[in-house]
mmCIF file of all heavy atoms in Angstrom:
data_model
loop_
_atom_site.group_PDB
_atom_site.id
_atom_site.type_symbol
_atom_site.label_atom_id
_atom_site.label_comp_id
_atom_site.label_asym_id
_atom_site.label_seq_id
_atom_site.Cartn_x
_atom_site.Cartn_y
_atom_site.Cartn_z
ATOM 1 N N LYS A 1 146.939 79.712 154.163
ATOM 2 C CA LYS A 1 146.191 78.472 154.278
ATOM 3 C C LYS A 1 147.147 77.330 154.599
ATOM 4 O O LYS A 1 148.268 77.272 154.087
ATOM 5 C CB LYS A 1 145.455 78.172 152.971
ATOM 6 C CG LYS A 1 144.541 76.950 153.036
ATOM 7 C CD LYS A 1 143.694 76.806 151.771
ATOM 8 C CE LYS A 1 142.778 75.595 151.865
ATOM 9 N NZ LYS A 1 141.923 75.434 150.659
ATOM 10 N N ASN A 2 146.697 76.425 155.472
ATOM 11 C CA ASN A 2 147.498 75.253 155.818
ATOM 12 C C ASN A 2 147.502 74.267 154.646
ATOM 13 O O ASN A 2 146.434 73.873 154.178
ATOM 14 C CB ASN A 2 146.917 74.592 157.071
ATOM 15 C CG ASN A 2 147.820 73.512 157.634
ATOM 16 O OD1 ASN A 2 148.350 72.680 156.895
ATOM 17 N ND2 ASN A 2 148.000 73.507 158.944
ATOM 18 N N PRO A 3 148.676 73.861 154.154
ATOM 19 C CA PRO A 3 148.718 73.001 152.960
ATOM 20 C C PRO A 3 148.072 71.632 153.162
ATOM 21 O O PRO A 3 147.630 71.015 152.186
ATOM 22 C CB PRO A 3 150.214 72.862 152.668
ATOM 23 C CG PRO A 3 150.890 73.136 153.976
ATOM 24 C CD PRO A 3 150.031 74.172 154.639
ATOM 25 N N ILE A 4 147.989 71.163 154.396
ATOM 26 C CA ILE A 4 147.431 69.824 154.588
ATOM 27 C C ILE A 4 145.914 69.805 154.412
ATOM 28 O O ILE A 4 145.296 68.745 154.362
ATOM 29 C CB ILE A 4 147.800 69.233 155.972
ATOM 30 C CG1 ILE A 4 147.130 70.006 157.104
ATOM 31 C CG2 ILE A 4 149.306 69.186 156.148
ATOM 32 C CD1 ILE A 4 147.353 69.351 158.469
ATOM 33 N N HIS A 5 145.301 71.007 154.281
ATOM 34 C CA HIS A 5 143.856 71.066 154.118
ATOM 35 C C HIS A 5 143.414 71.104 152.654
ATOM 36 O O HIS A 5 142.208 71.206 152.378
ATOM 37 C CB HIS A 5 143.294 72.288 154.865
ATOM 38 C CG HIS A 5 143.477 72.195 156.345
ATOM 39 N ND1 HIS A 5 143.580 73.313 157.153
ATOM 40 C CD2 HIS A 5 143.600 71.117 157.160
ATOM 41 C CE1 HIS A 5 143.752 72.924 158.412
ATOM 42 N NE2 HIS A 5 143.760 71.605 158.442
ATOM 43 N N PHE A 6 144.374 71.024 151.732
ATOM 44 C CA PHE A 6 144.004 70.934 150.320
ATOM 45 C C PHE A 6 143.509 69.517 150.031
ATOM 46 O O PHE A 6 144.067 68.531 150.532
ATOM 47 C CB PHE A 6 145.186 71.281 149.427
ATOM 48 C CG PHE A 6 145.512 72.754 149.398
ATOM 49 C CD1 PHE A 6 146.371 73.304 150.335
ATOM 50 C CD2 PHE A 6 144.941 73.574 148.445
ATOM 51 C CE1 PHE A 6 146.671 74.659 150.318
ATOM 52 C CE2 PHE A 6 145.234 74.930 148.410
ATOM 53 C CZ PHE A 6 146.095 75.479 149.355
ATOM 54 N N LYS A 7 142.475 69.415 149.196
ATOM 55 C CA LYS A 7 141.882 68.100 148.915
ATOM 56 C C LYS A 7 142.887 67.124 148.309
ATOM 57 O O LYS A 7 142.906 65.939 148.654
ATOM 58 C CB LYS A 7 140.684 68.265 147.973
ATOM 59 C CG LYS A 7 139.514 69.027 148.579
ATOM 60 C CD LYS A 7 138.398 69.235 147.552
ATOM 61 C CE LYS A 7 137.255 70.051 148.145
ATOM 62 N NZ LYS A 7 136.202 70.317 147.130
ATOM 63 N N THR A 8 143.726 67.630 147.399
ATOM 64 C CA THR A 8 144.729 66.759 146.763
ATOM 65 C C THR A 8 145.704 66.232 147.803
ATOM 66 O O THR A 8 146.100 65.055 147.781
ATOM 67 C CB THR A 8 145.481 67.519 145.663
ATOM 68 O OG1 THR A 8 144.539 68.109 144.767
ATOM 69 C CG2 THR A 8 146.399 66.589 144.887
ATOM 70 N N VAL A 9 146.108 67.094 148.748
ATOM 71 C CA VAL A 9 147.022 66.676 149.822
ATOM 72 C C VAL A 9 146.337 65.656 150.719
ATOM 73 O O VAL A 9 146.932 64.621 151.072
ATOM 74 C CB VAL A 9 147.493 67.897 150.634
ATOM 75 C CG1 VAL A 9 148.289 67.446 151.855
ATOM 76 C CG2 VAL A 9 148.336 68.826 149.762
ATOM 77 N N GLU A 10 145.113 65.932 151.095
ATOM 78 C CA GLU A 10 144.375 64.994 151.954
ATOM 79 C C GLU A 10 144.278 63.620 151.310
ATOM 80 O O GLU A 10 144.404 62.590 151.973
ATOM 81 C CB GLU A 10 142.977 65.545 152.255
ATOM 82 C CG GLU A 10 142.991 66.780 153.158
ATOM 83 C CD GLU A 10 141.606 67.388 153.316
ATOM 84 O OE1 GLU A 10 140.707 67.028 152.508
ATOM 85 O OE2 GLU A 10 141.427 68.231 154.223
ATOM 86 N N TYR A 11 144.049 63.605 149.996
ATOM 87 C CA TYR A 11 143.946 62.335 149.261
ATOM 88 C C TYR A 11 145.239 61.535 149.394
ATOM 89 O O TYR A 11 145.212 60.323 149.693
ATOM 90 C CB TYR A 11 143.641 62.622 147.793
ATOM 91 C CG TYR A 11 143.751 61.403 146.893
ATOM 92 C CD1 TYR A 11 142.703 60.484 146.799
ATOM 93 C CD2 TYR A 11 144.904 61.167 146.149
ATOM 94 C CE1 TYR A 11 142.809 59.360 145.983
ATOM 95 C CE2 TYR A 11 145.015 60.052 145.331
ATOM 96 C CZ TYR A 11 143.968 59.155 145.255
ATOM 97 O OH TYR A 11 144.073 58.051 144.457
ATOM 98 N N PHE A 12 146.389 62.203 149.192
ATOM 99 C CA PHE A 12 147.662 61.483 149.237
ATOM 100 C C PHE A 12 148.083 61.137 150.668
ATOM 101 O O PHE A 12 148.781 60.147 150.883
ATOM 102 C CB PHE A 12 148.751 62.290 148.526
ATOM 103 C CG PHE A 12 148.657 62.230 147.025
ATOM 104 C CD1 PHE A 12 148.375 63.367 146.288
ATOM 105 C CD2 PHE A 12 148.841 61.025 146.348
ATOM 106 C CE1 PHE A 12 148.284 63.311 144.903
ATOM 107 C CE2 PHE A 12 148.751 60.959 144.965
ATOM 108 C CZ PHE A 12 148.473 62.104 144.246
ATOM 109 N N ILE A 13 147.641 61.934 151.636
ATOM 110 C CA ILE A 13 147.892 61.567 153.039
ATOM 111 C C ILE A 13 147.109 60.297 153.382
ATOM 112 O O ILE A 13 147.634 59.381 154.033
ATOM 113 C CB ILE A 13 147.520 62.730 153.984
ATOM 114 C CG1 ILE A 13 148.539 63.878 153.851
ATOM 115 C CG2 ILE A 13 147.474 62.235 155.432
ATOM 116 C CD1 ILE A 13 148.213 65.093 154.700
ATOM 117 N N ASP A 14 145.875 60.217 152.933
ATOM 118 C CA ASP A 14 145.057 59.015 153.161
ATOM 119 C C ASP A 14 145.682 57.784 152.520
ATOM 120 O O ASP A 14 145.539 56.663 153.038
ATOM 121 C CB ASP A 14 143.640 59.229 152.606
ATOM 122 C CG ASP A 14 142.817 60.185 153.445
ATOM 123 O OD1 ASP A 14 143.196 60.420 154.609
ATOM 124 O OD2 ASP A 14 141.803 60.703 152.931
ATOM 125 N N LYS A 15 146.363 57.983 151.398
ATOM 126 C CA LYS A 15 147.025 56.876 150.698
ATOM 127 C C LYS A 15 148.412 56.581 151.276
ATOM 128 O O LYS A 15 149.111 55.699 150.786
ATOM 129 C CB LYS A 15 147.180 57.225 149.213
ATOM 130 C CG LYS A 15 145.880 57.373 148.440
ATOM 131 C CD LYS A 15 145.275 56.017 148.141
ATOM 132 C CE LYS A 15 144.074 56.148 147.228
ATOM 133 N NZ LYS A 15 143.468 54.829 146.908
ATOM 134 N N ASN A 16 148.804 57.343 152.323
ATOM 135 C CA ASN A 16 150.124 57.226 152.951
ATOM 136 C C ASN A 16 151.267 57.573 151.998
ATOM 137 O O ASN A 16 152.416 57.194 152.212
ATOM 138 C CB ASN A 16 150.351 55.811 153.510
ATOM 139 C CG ASN A 16 149.396 55.472 154.628
ATOM 140 O OD1 ASN A 16 149.134 56.300 155.507
ATOM 141 N ND2 ASN A 16 148.844 54.267 154.601
ATOM 142 N N MET A 17 150.956 58.338 150.949
ATOM 143 C CA MET A 17 151.978 58.765 150.002
ATOM 144 C C MET A 17 152.570 60.113 150.406
ATOM 145 O O MET A 17 153.688 60.458 150.013
ATOM 146 C CB MET A 17 151.401 58.819 148.591
ATOM 147 C CG MET A 17 150.919 57.445 148.108
ATOM 148 S SD MET A 17 150.061 57.493 146.514
ATOM 149 C CE MET A 17 151.436 57.625 145.389
ATOM 150 N N LEU A 18 151.829 60.884 151.179
ATOM 151 C CA LEU A 18 152.323 62.099 151.819
ATOM 152 C C LEU A 18 152.208 61.931 153.319
ATOM 153 O O LEU A 18 151.334 61.196 153.806
ATOM 154 C CB LEU A 18 151.519 63.330 151.370
ATOM 155 C CG LEU A 18 151.643 63.798 149.922
ATOM 156 C CD1 LEU A 18 150.738 65.009 149.688
ATOM 157 C CD2 LEU A 18 153.082 64.146 149.569
ATOM 158 N N GLU A 19 153.085 62.622 154.045
ATOM 159 C CA GLU A 19 153.054 62.535 155.503
ATOM 160 C C GLU A 19 153.467 63.874 156.106
ATOM 161 O O GLU A 19 154.135 64.687 155.460
ATOM 162 C CB GLU A 19 153.987 61.431 155.996
ATOM 163 C CG GLU A 19 155.459 61.663 155.669
ATOM 164 C CD GLU A 19 156.356 60.520 156.093
ATOM 165 O OE1 GLU A 19 155.821 59.455 156.447
ATOM 166 O OE2 GLU A 19 157.585 60.694 156.079
ATOM 167 N N VAL A 20 153.042 64.096 157.338
ATOM 168 C CA VAL A 20 153.431 65.284 158.086
ATOM 169 C C VAL A 20 154.434 64.869 159.150
ATOM 170 O O VAL A 20 154.199 63.930 159.917
ATOM 171 C CB VAL A 20 152.210 65.956 158.751
ATOM 172 C CG1 VAL A 20 152.656 67.143 159.604
ATOM 173 C CG2 VAL A 20 151.210 66.405 157.695
ATOM 174 N N LYS A 21 155.572 65.559 159.157
ATOM 175 C CA LYS A 21 156.576 65.318 160.189
ATOM 176 C C LYS A 21 157.003 66.660 160.744
ATOM 177 O O LYS A 21 157.681 67.437 160.065
ATOM 178 C CB LYS A 21 157.785 64.562 159.643
ATOM 179 C CG LYS A 21 158.788 64.190 160.734
ATOM 180 C CD LYS A 21 159.872 63.254 160.249
ATOM 181 C CE LYS A 21 160.789 62.868 161.404
ATOM 182 N NZ LYS A 21 161.880 61.948 160.970
ATOM 183 N N GLY A 22 156.598 66.947 161.991
ATOM 184 C CA GLY A 22 156.879 68.248 162.578
ATOM 185 C C GLY A 22 156.199 69.343 161.783
ATOM 186 O O GLY A 22 154.993 69.292 161.522
ATOM 187 N N ASP A 23 156.998 70.321 161.321
ATOM 188 C CA ASP A 23 156.453 71.455 160.573
ATOM 189 C C ASP A 23 156.428 71.183 159.063
ATOM 190 O O ASP A 23 156.086 72.058 158.288
ATOM 191 C CB ASP A 23 157.317 72.702 160.843
ATOM 192 C CG ASP A 23 156.766 73.954 160.174
ATOM 193 O OD1 ASP A 23 155.558 74.217 160.296
ATOM 194 O OD2 ASP A 23 157.559 74.643 159.492
ATOM 195 N N PHE A 24 156.771 69.965 158.661
ATOM 196 C CA PHE A 24 156.938 69.703 157.233
ATOM 197 C C PHE A 24 155.940 68.686 156.682
ATOM 198 O O PHE A 24 155.643 67.671 157.322
ATOM 199 C CB PHE A 24 158.363 69.237 156.939
ATOM 200 C CG PHE A 24 159.384 70.331 157.092
ATOM 201 C CD1 PHE A 24 159.977 70.573 158.317
ATOM 202 C CD2 PHE A 24 159.720 71.135 156.016
ATOM 203 C CE1 PHE A 24 160.910 71.596 158.470
ATOM 204 C CE2 PHE A 24 160.643 72.153 156.152
ATOM 205 C CZ PHE A 24 161.239 72.395 157.378
ATOM 206 N N LEU A 25 155.450 68.998 155.501
ATOM 207 C CA LEU A 25 154.622 68.089 154.710
ATOM 208 C C LEU A 25 155.517 67.548 153.609
ATOM 209 O O LEU A 25 156.111 68.319 152.855
ATOM 210 C CB LEU A 25 153.432 68.840 154.112
ATOM 211 C CG LEU A 25 152.571 68.088 153.094
ATOM 212 C CD1 LEU A 25 151.825 66.934 153.755
ATOM 213 C CD2 LEU A 25 151.595 69.054 152.423
ATOM 214 N N ARG A 26 155.632 66.223 153.510
ATOM 215 C CA ARG A 26 156.597 65.657 152.566
ATOM 216 C C ARG A 26 156.072 64.364 151.949
ATOM 217 O O ARG A 26 155.106 63.765 152.449
ATOM 218 C CB ARG A 26 157.919 65.384 153.271
ATOM 219 C CG ARG A 26 157.828 64.283 154.332
ATOM 220 C CD ARG A 26 159.127 64.126 155.085
ATOM 221 N NE ARG A 26 159.108 62.949 155.951
ATOM 222 C CZ ARG A 26 160.096 62.601 156.770
ATOM 223 N NH1 ARG A 26 161.183 63.348 156.834
ATOM 224 N NH2 ARG A 26 160.002 61.518 157.515
ATOM 225 N N ILE A 27 156.752 63.947 150.878
ATOM 226 C CA ILE A 27 156.449 62.663 150.267
ATOM 227 C C ILE A 27 157.021 61.562 151.156
ATOM 228 O O ILE A 27 158.163 61.644 151.613
ATOM 229 C CB ILE A 27 157.055 62.570 148.852
ATOM 230 C CG1 ILE A 27 156.388 63.608 147.933
ATOM 231 C CG2 ILE A 27 156.876 61.173 148.267
ATOM 232 C CD1 ILE A 27 156.954 63.638 146.521
ATOM 233 N N SER A 28 156.228 60.536 151.414
ATOM 234 C CA SER A 28 156.699 59.416 152.228
ATOM 235 C C SER A 28 157.877 58.741 151.529
ATOM 236 O O SER A 28 157.925 58.635 150.297
ATOM 237 C CB SER A 28 155.568 58.410 152.442
ATOM 238 O OG SER A 28 154.443 59.036 153.024
ATOM 239 N N LYS A 29 158.848 58.278 152.305
ATOM 240 C CA LYS A 29 160.097 57.750 151.766
ATOM 241 C C LYS A 29 159.875 56.665 150.719
ATOM 242 O O LYS A 29 160.561 56.631 149.692
ATOM 243 C CB LYS A 29 160.978 57.209 152.897
ATOM 244 C CG LYS A 29 162.318 56.664 152.416
ATOM 245 C CD LYS A 29 163.212 56.287 153.577
ATOM 246 C CE LYS A 29 164.489 55.615 153.111
ATOM 247 N NZ LYS A 29 165.231 56.374 152.078
ATOM 248 N N ASP A 30 158.911 55.788 150.930
ATOM 249 C CA ASP A 30 158.695 54.675 149.997
ATOM 250 C C ASP A 30 158.188 55.134 148.630
ATOM 251 O O ASP A 30 158.162 54.334 147.689
ATOM 252 C CB ASP A 30 157.688 53.675 150.587
ATOM 253 C CG ASP A 30 158.257 52.906 151.772
ATOM 254 O OD1 ASP A 30 159.498 52.908 151.936
ATOM 255 O OD2 ASP A 30 157.469 52.314 152.526
ATOM 256 N N TYR A 31 157.805 56.408 148.531
ATOM 257 C CA TYR A 31 157.237 56.897 147.272
ATOM 258 C C TYR A 31 158.102 57.970 146.602
ATOM 259 O O TYR A 31 157.691 58.556 145.603
ATOM 260 C CB TYR A 31 155.822 57.443 147.508
ATOM 261 C CG TYR A 31 154.849 56.382 147.932
ATOM 262 C CD1 TYR A 31 154.611 56.117 149.280
ATOM 263 C CD2 TYR A 31 154.182 55.600 146.985
ATOM 264 C CE1 TYR A 31 153.727 55.120 149.673
ATOM 265 C CE2 TYR A 31 153.295 54.608 147.369
ATOM 266 C CZ TYR A 31 153.075 54.377 148.714
ATOM 267 O OH TYR A 31 152.200 53.375 149.100
ATOM 268 N N ILE A 32 159.303 58.212 147.147
ATOM 269 C CA ILE A 32 160.186 59.230 146.567
ATOM 270 C C ILE A 32 160.503 58.923 145.115
ATOM 271 O O ILE A 32 160.464 59.802 144.243
ATOM 272 C CB ILE A 32 161.488 59.349 147.384
ATOM 273 C CG1 ILE A 32 161.208 59.961 148.768
ATOM 274 C CG2 ILE A 32 162.523 60.198 146.642
ATOM 275 C CD1 ILE A 32 160.744 61.396 148.721
ATOM 276 N N TYR A 33 160.806 57.659 144.817
ATOM 277 C CA TYR A 33 161.220 57.307 143.457
ATOM 278 C C TYR A 33 160.109 57.578 142.439
ATOM 279 O O TYR A 33 160.381 57.969 141.299
ATOM 280 C CB TYR A 33 161.638 55.838 143.383
ATOM 281 C CG TYR A 33 161.986 55.392 141.980
ATOM 282 C CD1 TYR A 33 163.194 55.773 141.393
ATOM 283 C CD2 TYR A 33 161.105 54.622 141.230
ATOM 284 C CE1 TYR A 33 163.499 55.397 140.098
ATOM 285 C CE2 TYR A 33 161.406 54.234 139.939
ATOM 286 C CZ TYR A 33 162.606 54.617 139.377
ATOM 287 O OH TYR A 33 162.905 54.246 138.096
ATOM 288 N N ILE A 34 158.869 57.386 142.843
ATOM 289 C CA ILE A 34 157.748 57.613 141.919
ATOM 290 C C ILE A 34 157.072 58.950 142.215
ATOM 291 O O ILE A 34 155.869 59.127 141.996
ATOM 292 C CB ILE A 34 156.723 56.465 141.983
ATOM 293 C CG1 ILE A 34 156.144 56.320 143.410
ATOM 294 C CG2 ILE A 34 157.335 55.170 141.494
ATOM 295 C CD1 ILE A 34 154.939 55.392 143.472
ATOM 296 N N SER A 35 157.849 59.897 142.695
ATOM 297 C CA SER A 35 157.286 61.189 143.098
ATOM 298 C C SER A 35 156.561 61.901 141.966
ATOM 299 O O SER A 35 155.609 62.655 142.212
ATOM 300 C CB SER A 35 158.386 62.094 143.647
ATOM 301 O OG SER A 35 159.389 62.311 142.666
ATOM 302 N N ASN A 36 156.994 61.682 140.723
ATOM 303 C CA ASN A 36 156.330 62.360 139.605
ATOM 304 C C ASN A 36 154.853 62.032 139.538
ATOM 305 O O ASN A 36 154.035 62.853 139.111
ATOM 306 C CB ASN A 36 157.004 61.992 138.278
ATOM 307 C CG ASN A 36 158.272 62.787 138.044
ATOM 308 O OD1 ASN A 36 158.525 63.779 138.724
ATOM 309 N ND2 ASN A 36 159.081 62.361 137.091
ATOM 310 N N GLU A 37 154.483 60.826 139.948
ATOM 311 C CA GLU A 37 153.071 60.444 139.949
ATOM 312 C C GLU A 37 152.269 61.306 140.922
ATOM 313 O O GLU A 37 151.076 61.528 140.731
ATOM 314 C CB GLU A 37 152.925 58.961 140.302
ATOM 315 C CG GLU A 37 153.566 58.023 139.281
ATOM 316 C CD GLU A 37 153.391 56.558 139.650
ATOM 317 O OE1 GLU A 37 152.513 56.256 140.483
ATOM 318 O OE2 GLU A 37 154.144 55.727 139.114
ATOM 319 N N ILE A 38 152.944 61.767 141.964
ATOM 320 C CA ILE A 38 152.293 62.663 142.923
ATOM 321 C C ILE A 38 152.320 64.093 142.401
ATOM 322 O O ILE A 38 151.307 64.803 142.415
ATOM 323 C CB ILE A 38 152.982 62.575 144.306
ATOM 324 C CG1 ILE A 38 152.888 61.149 144.848
ATOM 325 C CG2 ILE A 38 152.379 63.584 145.280
ATOM 326 C CD1 ILE A 38 153.693 60.918 146.113
ATOM 327 N N LEU A 39 153.476 64.521 141.901
ATOM 328 C CA LEU A 39 153.650 65.913 141.492
ATOM 329 C C LEU A 39 152.695 66.311 140.369
ATOM 330 O O LEU A 39 152.140 67.418 140.388
ATOM 331 C CB LEU A 39 155.098 66.153 141.051
ATOM 332 C CG LEU A 39 156.189 65.866 142.102
ATOM 333 C CD1 LEU A 39 157.558 66.240 141.566
ATOM 334 C CD2 LEU A 39 155.905 66.605 143.404
ATOM 335 N N VAL A 40 152.492 65.411 139.400
ATOM 336 C CA VAL A 40 151.624 65.776 138.269
ATOM 337 C C VAL A 40 150.182 66.004 138.711
ATOM 338 O O VAL A 40 149.415 66.686 138.023
ATOM 339 C CB VAL A 40 151.667 64.696 137.157
ATOM 340 C CG1 VAL A 40 153.051 64.591 136.549
ATOM 341 C CG2 VAL A 40 151.192 63.341 137.663
ATOM 342 N N SER A 41 149.821 65.461 139.860
ATOM 343 C CA SER A 41 148.452 65.651 140.358
ATOM 344 C C SER A 41 148.193 67.085 140.794
ATOM 345 O O SER A 41 147.035 67.486 140.956
ATOM 346 C CB SER A 41 148.181 64.703 141.539
ATOM 347 O OG SER A 41 148.295 63.343 141.141
ATOM 348 N N PHE A 42 149.263 67.855 140.995
ATOM 349 C CA PHE A 42 149.110 69.253 141.402
ATOM 350 C C PHE A 42 149.105 70.205 140.215
ATOM 351 O O PHE A 42 148.971 71.419 140.394
ATOM 352 C CB PHE A 42 150.211 69.620 142.396
ATOM 353 C CG PHE A 42 150.041 68.985 143.742
ATOM 354 C CD1 PHE A 42 150.631 67.771 144.038
ATOM 355 C CD2 PHE A 42 149.268 69.602 144.709
ATOM 356 C CE1 PHE A 42 150.459 67.170 145.267
ATOM 357 C CE2 PHE A 42 149.086 69.015 145.953
ATOM 358 C CZ PHE A 42 149.681 67.783 146.240
ATOM 359 N N ILE A 43 149.285 69.682 138.999
ATOM 360 C CA ILE A 43 149.223 70.513 137.801
ATOM 361 C C ILE A 43 147.756 70.668 137.390
ATOM 362 O O ILE A 43 147.061 69.682 137.139
ATOM 363 C CB ILE A 43 150.023 69.903 136.643
ATOM 364 C CG1 ILE A 43 151.501 69.732 137.049
ATOM 365 C CG2 ILE A 43 149.910 70.754 135.393
ATOM 366 C CD1 ILE A 43 152.328 69.010 136.014
ATOM 367 N N ASP A 44 147.307 71.914 137.368
ATOM 368 C CA ASP A 44 145.908 72.192 137.001
ATOM 369 C C ASP A 44 144.912 71.410 137.857
ATOM 370 O O ASP A 44 143.855 70.988 137.387
ATOM 371 C CB ASP A 44 145.652 71.880 135.518
ATOM 372 C CG ASP A 44 146.443 72.795 134.608
ATOM 373 O OD1 ASP A 44 146.619 73.951 134.973
ATOM 374 O OD2 ASP A 44 146.874 72.324 133.542
ATOM 375 N N CYS A 45 145.251 71.200 139.135
ATOM 376 C CA CYS A 45 144.336 70.467 139.997
ATOM 377 C C CYS A 45 143.124 71.332 140.326
ATOM 378 O O CYS A 45 143.197 72.569 140.355
ATOM 379 C CB CYS A 45 145.033 70.018 141.284
ATOM 380 S SG CYS A 45 145.726 71.329 142.291
#
């Protein structure tokens, strides 16, 4: 399954907190420091 099609990922892409660059899905640079706020959303999602 393509990871960008997960609802949690779509939510953070819409918020510009995640981005796709080439073959990679990553946290946007401006949100690296607060990455834990993103990561915890994938626990028991």
Side-chain angles (χ1 to χ4, degrees):
K1 185 172 181 179
N2 190 315
I4 67 174
H5 295 153
F6 286 88
K7 294 176 183 177
T8 308
V9 173
E10 291 174 345
Y11 170 81
F12 284 115
I13 289 177
D14 288 342
K15 295 284 187 179
N16 296 317
M17 298 174 78
L18 292 179
E19 63 183 11
V20 176
K21 185 171 183 180
D23 184 48
F24 290 88
L25 172 67
R26 66 185 189 183
I27 295 178
S28 304
K29 181 174 174 52
D30 290 343
Y31 295 93
I32 291 294
Y33 176 75
I34 60 169
S35 59
N36 280 346
E37 296 181 18
I38 299 172
L39 301 184
V40 296
S41 298
F42 289 92
I43 301 174
D44 295 325
C45 59

